[in-house]
Amino acid sequence: MNLKQELQQLNDRLDKFRRKLAAAENRGDQAIVQQFKREIAAVTKRIAAIKAQQSRQMNKQGADIKSLPFSRVITKAEQADMGKLKKSVKGLVVVHPMTALGKEMGLTQVTGFAPKAF
């Protein structure tokens, strides 16, 4: 299971535990309240660990892409025919600023990274 799926499942479990905690508090069942508080703490800790791992992966991926020797902004005409551009430039990596990687890298425009000038 990838990190994104695991994070989604943990968030779903956290939501379920919070709803059950609220119901247990309304009933006044202290044993169940304590149990759900422990469960929520464990799931929250796991979520934080997964988010940190995702951040490390993004940083590593961004650093790998930035280490390519050539980069430039992709024009609108090139964006319109991306398949042709990718076929003509070997090893081209295109990063959009609205993706997680683009945000991590701090891009403001669609940028291409390649081993050689294009």
mmCIF file of all heavy atoms in Angstrom, residues 68-112:
data_model
loop_
_atom_site.group_PDB
_atom_site.id
_atom_site.type_symbol
_atom_site.label_atom_id
_atom_site.label_comp_id
_atom_site.label_asym_id
_atom_site.label_seq_id
_atom_site.Cartn_x
_atom_site.Cartn_y
_atom_site.Cartn_z
ATOM 1 N N LEU A 68 19.290 18.180 -12.453
ATOM 2 C CA LEU A 68 19.465 18.078 -13.902
ATOM 3 C C LEU A 68 20.082 19.380 -14.406
ATOM 4 O O LEU A 68 19.699 20.473 -13.962
ATOM 5 C CB LEU A 68 18.121 17.811 -14.594
ATOM 6 C CG LEU A 68 17.529 16.421 -14.352
ATOM 7 C CD1 LEU A 68 16.121 16.320 -14.918
ATOM 8 C CD2 LEU A 68 18.412 15.344 -14.943
ATOM 9 N N PRO A 69 21.027 19.294 -15.333
ATOM 10 C CA PRO A 69 21.800 20.479 -15.705
ATOM 11 C C PRO A 69 21.043 21.596 -16.418
ATOM 12 O O PRO A 69 21.496 22.732 -16.422
ATOM 13 C CB PRO A 69 22.898 19.933 -16.627
ATOM 14 C CG PRO A 69 22.570 18.529 -16.892
ATOM 15 C CD PRO A 69 21.522 18.083 -15.954
ATOM 16 N N PHE A 70 19.895 21.308 -17.024
ATOM 17 C CA PHE A 70 19.222 22.352 -17.801
ATOM 18 C C PHE A 70 17.750 22.431 -17.418
ATOM 19 O O PHE A 70 17.095 21.407 -17.230
ATOM 20 C CB PHE A 70 19.340 22.068 -19.304
ATOM 21 C CG PHE A 70 18.790 23.161 -20.160
ATOM 22 C CD1 PHE A 70 19.508 24.318 -20.380
ATOM 23 C CD2 PHE A 70 17.530 23.052 -20.718
ATOM 24 C CE1 PHE A 70 18.994 25.351 -21.156
ATOM 25 C CE2 PHE A 70 17.008 24.070 -21.500
ATOM 26 C CZ PHE A 70 17.747 25.220 -21.717
ATOM 27 N N SER A 71 17.246 23.654 -17.308
ATOM 28 C CA SER A 71 15.819 23.843 -17.047
ATOM 29 C C SER A 71 15.367 25.148 -17.674
ATOM 30 O O SER A 71 16.159 26.101 -17.789
ATOM 31 C CB SER A 71 15.534 23.875 -15.545
ATOM 32 O OG SER A 71 16.089 25.024 -14.960
ATOM 33 N N ARG A 72 14.101 25.145 -18.116
ATOM 34 C CA ARG A 72 13.509 26.378 -18.618
ATOM 35 C C ARG A 72 11.993 26.258 -18.558
ATOM 36 O O ARG A 72 11.440 25.164 -18.448
ATOM 37 C CB ARG A 72 13.977 26.711 -20.028
ATOM 38 C CG ARG A 72 13.401 25.835 -21.120
ATOM 39 C CD ARG A 72 13.752 26.433 -22.493
ATOM 40 N NE ARG A 72 13.364 25.564 -23.572
ATOM 41 C CZ ARG A 72 12.147 25.538 -24.129
ATOM 42 N NH1 ARG A 72 11.207 26.345 -23.688
ATOM 43 N NH2 ARG A 72 11.870 24.714 -25.123
ATOM 44 N N VAL A 73 11.332 27.424 -18.638
ATOM 45 C CA VAL A 73 9.874 27.475 -18.618
ATOM 46 C C VAL A 73 9.360 26.914 -19.941
ATOM 47 O O VAL A 73 9.912 27.197 -21.003
ATOM 48 C CB VAL A 73 9.399 28.926 -18.407
ATOM 49 C CG1 VAL A 73 7.894 29.023 -18.532
ATOM 50 C CG2 VAL A 73 9.861 29.433 -17.046
ATOM 51 N N ILE A 74 8.292 26.131 -19.872
ATOM 52 C CA ILE A 74 7.671 25.556 -21.061
ATOM 53 C C ILE A 74 6.635 26.553 -21.583
ATOM 54 O O ILE A 74 5.761 27.001 -20.831
ATOM 55 C CB ILE A 74 6.987 24.210 -20.732
ATOM 56 C CG1 ILE A 74 7.962 23.231 -20.069
ATOM 57 C CG2 ILE A 74 6.352 23.597 -21.970
ATOM 58 C CD1 ILE A 74 9.089 22.790 -20.945
ATOM 59 N N THR A 75 6.723 26.918 -22.866
ATOM 60 C CA THR A 75 5.786 27.887 -23.453
ATOM 61 C C THR A 75 4.408 27.268 -23.620
ATOM 62 O O THR A 75 4.248 26.053 -23.578
ATOM 63 C CB THR A 75 6.283 28.361 -24.832
ATOM 64 O OG1 THR A 75 6.279 27.242 -25.722
ATOM 65 C CG2 THR A 75 7.670 28.962 -24.747
ATOM 66 N N LYS A 76 3.419 28.119 -23.829
ATOM 67 C CA LYS A 76 2.039 27.643 -24.022
ATOM 68 C C LYS A 76 1.934 26.741 -25.252
ATOM 69 O O LYS A 76 1.218 25.748 -25.239
ATOM 70 C CB LYS A 76 1.071 28.822 -24.160
ATOM 71 C CG LYS A 76 0.924 29.632 -22.901
ATOM 72 C CD LYS A 76 0.142 28.869 -21.869
ATOM 73 C CE LYS A 76 -0.085 29.753 -20.650
ATOM 74 N NZ LYS A 76 -0.672 29.039 -19.546
ATOM 75 N N ALA A 77 2.629 27.081 -26.328
ATOM 76 C CA ALA A 77 2.595 26.268 -27.545
ATOM 77 C C ALA A 77 3.179 24.878 -27.277
ATOM 78 O O ALA A 77 2.654 23.864 -27.748
ATOM 79 C CB ALA A 77 3.359 26.955 -28.667
ATOM 80 N N GLU A 78 4.265 24.827 -26.508
ATOM 81 C CA GLU A 78 4.874 23.534 -26.159
ATOM 82 C C GLU A 78 3.972 22.735 -25.231
ATOM 83 O O GLU A 78 3.890 21.516 -25.324
ATOM 84 C CB GLU A 78 6.238 23.760 -25.513
ATOM 85 C CG GLU A 78 7.290 24.266 -26.476
ATOM 86 C CD GLU A 78 8.576 24.671 -25.790
ATOM 87 O OE1 GLU A 78 8.533 25.114 -24.615
ATOM 88 O OE2 GLU A 78 9.632 24.549 -26.433
ATOM 89 N N GLN A 79 3.280 23.438 -24.324
ATOM 90 C CA GLN A 79 2.355 22.749 -23.417
ATOM 91 C C GLN A 79 1.201 22.134 -24.189
ATOM 92 O O GLN A 79 0.703 21.075 -23.831
ATOM 93 C CB GLN A 79 1.804 23.720 -22.369
ATOM 94 C CG GLN A 79 2.818 24.143 -21.340
ATOM 95 C CD GLN A 79 2.226 25.135 -20.358
ATOM 96 O OE1 GLN A 79 1.081 24.997 -19.950
ATOM 97 N NE2 GLN A 79 3.010 26.128 -19.973
ATOM 98 N N ALA A 80 0.783 22.803 -25.258
ATOM 99 C CA ALA A 80 -0.342 22.316 -26.062
ATOM 100 C C ALA A 80 0.003 21.000 -26.742
ATOM 101 O O ALA A 80 -0.872 20.150 -26.925
ATOM 102 C CB ALA A 80 -0.745 23.353 -27.092
ATOM 103 N N ASP A 81 1.270 20.805 -27.121
ATOM 104 C CA ASP A 81 1.688 19.572 -27.781
ATOM 105 C C ASP A 81 2.804 18.921 -26.966
ATOM 106 O O ASP A 81 3.938 18.779 -27.429
ATOM 107 C CB ASP A 81 2.135 19.861 -29.210
ATOM 108 C CG ASP A 81 2.161 18.605 -30.066
ATOM 109 O OD1 ASP A 81 1.802 17.529 -29.546
ATOM 110 O OD2 ASP A 81 2.534 18.709 -31.247
ATOM 111 N N MET A 82 2.469 18.526 -25.742
ATOM 112 C CA MET A 82 3.455 17.984 -24.807
ATOM 113 C C MET A 82 4.058 16.672 -25.313
ATOM 114 O O MET A 82 5.239 16.392 -25.103
ATOM 115 C CB MET A 82 2.806 17.769 -23.433
ATOM 116 C CG MET A 82 3.789 17.508 -22.335
ATOM 117 S SD MET A 82 4.909 18.868 -21.994
ATOM 118 C CE MET A 82 3.833 20.015 -21.217
ATOM 119 N N GLY A 83 3.261 15.860 -26.005
ATOM 120 C CA GLY A 83 3.764 14.582 -26.514
ATOM 121 C C GLY A 83 4.910 14.782 -27.489
ATOM 122 O O GLY A 83 5.924 14.078 -27.431
ATOM 123 N N LYS A 84 4.764 15.723 -28.388
ATOM 124 C CA LYS A 84 5.811 16.019 -29.368
ATOM 125 C C LYS A 84 7.077 16.505 -28.655
ATOM 126 O O LYS A 84 8.191 16.089 -29.001
ATOM 127 C CB LYS A 84 5.308 17.082 -30.343
ATOM 128 C CG LYS A 84 6.312 17.492 -31.388
ATOM 129 C CD LYS A 84 5.745 18.588 -32.276
ATOM 130 C CE LYS A 84 6.797 19.128 -33.210
ATOM 131 N NZ LYS A 84 6.311 20.291 -33.953
ATOM 132 N N LEU A 85 6.894 17.359 -27.665
ATOM 133 C CA LEU A 85 8.045 17.889 -26.919
ATOM 134 C C LEU A 85 8.789 16.768 -26.201
ATOM 135 O O LEU A 85 10.016 16.686 -26.264
ATOM 136 C CB LEU A 85 7.596 18.954 -25.919
ATOM 137 C CG LEU A 85 8.690 19.567 -25.045
ATOM 138 C CD1 LEU A 85 9.693 20.339 -25.908
ATOM 139 C CD2 LEU A 85 8.085 20.471 -23.998
ATOM 140 N N LYS A 86 8.043 15.885 -25.537
ATOM 141 C CA LYS A 86 8.684 14.803 -24.791
ATOM 142 C C LYS A 86 9.400 13.817 -25.717
ATOM 143 O O LYS A 86 10.408 13.234 -25.335
ATOM 144 C CB LYS A 86 7.663 14.076 -23.920
ATOM 145 C CG LYS A 86 7.279 14.877 -22.691
ATOM 146 C CD LYS A 86 6.435 14.066 -21.743
ATOM 147 C CE LYS A 86 6.183 14.837 -20.472
ATOM 148 N NZ LYS A 86 5.462 14.032 -19.480
ATOM 149 N N LYS A 87 8.875 13.635 -26.914
ATOM 150 C CA LYS A 87 9.531 12.743 -27.876
ATOM 151 C C LYS A 87 10.820 13.362 -28.394
ATOM 152 O O LYS A 87 11.796 12.656 -28.667
ATOM 153 C CB LYS A 87 8.604 12.437 -29.053
ATOM 154 C CG LYS A 87 7.515 11.450 -28.704
ATOM 155 C CD LYS A 87 6.627 11.182 -29.906
ATOM 156 C CE LYS A 87 5.473 10.274 -29.518
ATOM 157 N NZ LYS A 87 4.540 10.077 -30.646
ATOM 158 N N SER A 88 10.843 14.677 -28.532
ATOM 159 C CA SER A 88 12.017 15.335 -29.099
ATOM 160 C C SER A 88 13.131 15.557 -28.073
ATOM 161 O O SER A 88 14.289 15.725 -28.449
ATOM 162 C CB SER A 88 11.625 16.680 -29.716
ATOM 163 O OG SER A 88 11.197 17.574 -28.709
ATOM 164 N N VAL A 89 12.812 15.525 -26.796
ATOM 165 C CA VAL A 89 13.814 15.777 -25.751
ATOM 166 C C VAL A 89 13.914 14.546 -24.854
ATOM 167 O O VAL A 89 12.991 14.224 -24.111
ATOM 168 C CB VAL A 89 13.439 17.016 -24.903
ATOM 169 C CG1 VAL A 89 14.493 17.263 -23.839
ATOM 170 C CG2 VAL A 89 13.245 18.237 -25.769
ATOM 171 N N LYS A 90 15.035 13.848 -24.920
ATOM 172 C CA LYS A 90 15.236 12.654 -24.103
ATOM 173 C C LYS A 90 15.463 13.048 -22.645
ATOM 174 O O LYS A 90 16.221 13.968 -22.343
ATOM 175 C CB LYS A 90 16.458 11.860 -24.583
ATOM 176 C CG LYS A 90 16.251 11.191 -25.900
ATOM 177 C CD LYS A 90 15.302 10.038 -25.756
ATOM 178 C CE LYS A 90 15.204 9.289 -27.065
ATOM 179 N NZ LYS A 90 14.111 8.361 -27.094
ATOM 180 N N GLY A 91 14.782 12.384 -21.735
ATOM 181 C CA GLY A 91 14.968 12.617 -20.309
ATOM 182 C C GLY A 91 14.279 13.852 -19.769
ATOM 183 O O GLY A 91 14.584 14.304 -18.666
ATOM 184 N N LEU A 92 13.341 14.406 -20.527
ATOM 185 C CA LEU A 92 12.630 15.616 -20.089
ATOM 186 C C LEU A 92 11.677 15.298 -18.943
ATOM 187 O O LEU A 92 10.932 14.331 -18.997
ATOM 188 C CB LEU A 92 11.834 16.212 -21.255
ATOM 189 C CG LEU A 92 10.963 17.426 -20.924
ATOM 190 C CD1 LEU A 92 11.838 18.622 -20.573
ATOM 191 C CD2 LEU A 92 10.051 17.757 -22.087
ATOM 192 N N VAL A 93 11.742 16.126 -17.909
ATOM 193 C CA VAL A 93 10.813 16.030 -16.788
ATOM 194 C C VAL A 93 10.086 17.362 -16.698
ATOM 195 O O VAL A 93 10.724 18.406 -16.531
ATOM 196 C CB VAL A 93 11.550 15.738 -15.455
ATOM 197 C CG1 VAL A 93 10.574 15.667 -14.298
ATOM 198 C CG2 VAL A 93 12.358 14.457 -15.553
ATOM 199 N N VAL A 94 8.760 17.323 -16.818
ATOM 200 C CA VAL A 94 7.954 18.547 -16.763
ATOM 201 C C VAL A 94 7.276 18.598 -15.404
ATOM 202 O O VAL A 94 6.649 17.629 -14.977
ATOM 203 C CB VAL A 94 6.913 18.570 -17.899
ATOM 204 C CG1 VAL A 94 6.052 19.807 -17.795
ATOM 205 C CG2 VAL A 94 7.600 18.505 -19.246
ATOM 206 N N VAL A 95 7.404 19.737 -14.726
ATOM 207 C CA VAL A 95 6.817 19.903 -13.393
ATOM 208 C C VAL A 95 5.841 21.076 -13.436
ATOM 209 O O VAL A 95 6.214 22.188 -13.812
ATOM 210 C CB VAL A 95 7.908 20.153 -12.327
ATOM 211 C CG1 VAL A 95 7.279 20.279 -10.944
ATOM 212 C CG2 VAL A 95 8.933 19.032 -12.339
ATOM 213 N N HIS A 96 4.607 20.812 -13.051
ATOM 214 C CA HIS A 96 3.574 21.845 -13.012
ATOM 215 C C HIS A 96 3.589 22.491 -11.623
ATOM 216 O O HIS A 96 3.740 21.789 -10.609
ATOM 217 C CB HIS A 96 2.202 21.226 -13.300
ATOM 218 C CG HIS A 96 1.153 22.224 -13.618
ATOM 219 N ND1 HIS A 96 0.514 22.945 -12.638
ATOM 220 C CD2 HIS A 96 0.644 22.651 -14.797
ATOM 221 C CE1 HIS A 96 -0.360 23.765 -13.204
ATOM 222 N NE2 HIS A 96 -0.304 23.597 -14.516
ATOM 223 N N PRO A 97 3.402 23.805 -11.526
ATOM 224 C CA PRO A 97 3.482 24.474 -10.222
ATOM 225 C C PRO A 97 2.357 24.120 -9.250
ATOM 226 O O PRO A 97 2.499 24.324 -8.045
ATOM 227 C CB PRO A 97 3.453 25.960 -10.570
ATOM 228 C CG PRO A 97 2.846 26.029 -11.914
ATOM 229 C CD PRO A 97 3.215 24.756 -12.614
ATOM 230 N N MET A 98 1.238 23.562 -9.740
ATOM 231 C CA MET A 98 0.121 23.250 -8.846
ATOM 232 C C MET A 98 0.203 21.836 -8.259
ATOM 233 O O MET A 98 -0.600 21.476 -7.413
ATOM 234 C CB MET A 98 -1.210 23.420 -9.588
ATOM 235 C CG MET A 98 -1.469 24.856 -10.028
ATOM 236 S SD MET A 98 -1.372 26.053 -8.687
ATOM 237 C CE MET A 98 -2.834 25.626 -7.780
ATOM 238 N N THR A 99 1.160 21.032 -8.695
ATOM 239 C CA THR A 99 1.325 19.698 -8.126
ATOM 240 C C THR A 99 2.096 19.799 -6.812
ATOM 241 O O THR A 99 2.708 20.834 -6.509
ATOM 242 C CB THR A 99 2.087 18.770 -9.091
ATOM 243 O OG1 THR A 99 3.394 19.314 -9.312
ATOM 244 C CG2 THR A 99 1.354 18.609 -10.408
ATOM 245 N N ALA A 100 2.080 18.728 -6.052
ATOM 246 C CA ALA A 100 2.797 18.719 -4.774
ATOM 247 C C ALA A 100 4.287 18.955 -4.999
ATOM 248 O O ALA A 100 4.926 19.719 -4.258
ATOM 249 C CB ALA A 100 2.570 17.396 -4.054
ATOM 250 N N LEU A 101 4.833 18.332 -6.027
ATOM 251 C CA LEU A 101 6.258 18.514 -6.326
ATOM 252 C C LEU A 101 6.552 19.947 -6.743
ATOM 253 O O LEU A 101 7.538 20.543 -6.313
ATOM 254 C CB LEU A 101 6.686 17.532 -7.425
ATOM 255 C CG LEU A 101 8.145 17.567 -7.827
ATOM 256 C CD1 LEU A 101 9.050 17.284 -6.630
ATOM 257 C CD2 LEU A 101 8.412 16.573 -8.941
ATOM 258 N N GLY A 102 5.682 20.510 -7.559
ATOM 259 C CA GLY A 102 5.866 21.898 -7.999
ATOM 260 C C GLY A 102 5.807 22.875 -6.839
ATOM 261 O O GLY A 102 6.575 23.832 -6.766
ATOM 262 N N LYS A 103 4.880 22.636 -5.917
ATOM 263 C CA LYS A 103 4.780 23.507 -4.740
ATOM 264 C C LYS A 103 6.015 23.351 -3.863
ATOM 265 O O LYS A 103 6.529 24.330 -3.318
ATOM 266 C CB LYS A 103 3.523 23.166 -3.947
ATOM 267 C CG LYS A 103 2.248 23.602 -4.647
ATOM 268 C CD LYS A 103 1.022 23.183 -3.869
ATOM 269 C CE LYS A 103 -0.245 23.543 -4.618
ATOM 270 N NZ LYS A 103 -1.453 23.084 -3.938
ATOM 271 N N GLU A 104 6.485 22.109 -3.724
ATOM 272 C CA GLU A 104 7.673 21.839 -2.910
ATOM 273 C C GLU A 104 8.904 22.539 -3.494
ATOM 274 O O GLU A 104 9.731 23.059 -2.753
ATOM 275 C CB GLU A 104 7.915 20.327 -2.849
ATOM 276 C CG GLU A 104 9.036 19.911 -1.951
ATOM 277 C CD GLU A 104 8.729 20.078 -0.487
ATOM 278 O OE1 GLU A 104 7.586 19.849 -0.077
ATOM 279 O OE2 GLU A 104 9.653 20.442 0.261
ATOM 280 N N MET A 105 8.985 22.564 -4.827
ATOM 281 C CA MET A 105 10.124 23.183 -5.490
ATOM 282 C C MET A 105 9.979 24.699 -5.588
ATOM 283 O O MET A 105 10.925 25.395 -5.931
ATOM 284 C CB MET A 105 10.302 22.591 -6.893
ATOM 285 C CG MET A 105 10.707 21.139 -6.881
ATOM 286 S SD MET A 105 10.684 20.378 -8.502
ATOM 287 C CE MET A 105 12.090 21.139 -9.268
ATOM 288 N N GLY A 106 8.781 25.233 -5.314
ATOM 289 C CA GLY A 106 8.550 26.668 -5.347
ATOM 290 C C GLY A 106 8.426 27.234 -6.753
ATOM 291 O O GLY A 106 8.791 28.386 -6.995
ATOM 292 N N LEU A 107 7.897 26.437 -7.673
ATOM 293 C CA LEU A 107 7.748 26.889 -9.059
ATOM 294 C C LEU A 107 6.533 27.792 -9.204
ATOM 295 O O LEU A 107 5.556 27.651 -8.479
ATOM 296 C CB LEU A 107 7.600 25.685 -9.998
ATOM 297 C CG LEU A 107 8.764 24.696 -10.030
ATOM 298 C CD1 LEU A 107 8.429 23.542 -10.960
ATOM 299 C CD2 LEU A 107 10.041 25.381 -10.471
ATOM 300 N N THR A 108 6.614 28.716 -10.158
ATOM 301 C CA THR A 108 5.473 29.577 -10.457
ATOM 302 C C THR A 108 4.943 29.341 -11.865
ATOM 303 O O THR A 108 3.845 29.778 -12.186
ATOM 304 C CB THR A 108 5.856 31.064 -10.324
ATOM 305 O OG1 THR A 108 6.947 31.333 -11.191
ATOM 306 C CG2 THR A 108 6.220 31.396 -8.885
ATOM 307 N N GLN A 109 5.728 28.664 -12.711
ATOM 308 C CA GLN A 109 5.311 28.367 -14.079
ATOM 309 C C GLN A 109 5.677 26.920 -14.402
ATOM 310 O O GLN A 109 6.553 26.338 -13.752
ATOM 311 C CB GLN A 109 6.023 29.289 -15.069
ATOM 312 C CG GLN A 109 5.637 30.740 -14.920
ATOM 313 C CD GLN A 109 6.413 31.622 -15.884
ATOM 314 O OE1 GLN A 109 7.584 31.391 -16.132
ATOM 315 N NE2 GLN A 109 5.734 32.628 -16.417
ATOM 316 N N VAL A 110 5.007 26.365 -15.422
ATOM 317 C CA VAL A 110 5.327 25.012 -15.866
ATOM 318 C C VAL A 110 6.769 25.015 -16.360
ATOM 319 O O VAL A 110 7.149 25.815 -17.213
ATOM 320 C CB VAL A 110 4.372 24.546 -16.985
ATOM 321 C CG1 VAL A 110 4.748 23.150 -17.446
ATOM 322 C CG2 VAL A 110 2.935 24.581 -16.507
ATOM 323 N N THR A 111 7.584 24.141 -15.779
ATOM 324 C CA THR A 111 9.012 24.145 -16.052
ATOM 325 C C THR A 111 9.464 22.764 -16.496
ATOM 326 O O THR A 111 9.006 21.750 -15.972
ATOM 327 C CB THR A 111 9.803 24.554 -14.794
ATOM 328 O OG1 THR A 111 9.268 25.803 -14.308
ATOM 329 C CG2 THR A 111 11.271 24.715 -15.080
ATOM 330 N N GLY A 112 10.364 22.740 -17.450
ATOM 331 C CA GLY A 112 10.948 21.486 -17.917
ATOM 332 C C GLY A 112 12.391 21.372 -17.465
ATOM 333 O O GLY A 112 13.150 22.346 -17.503
#
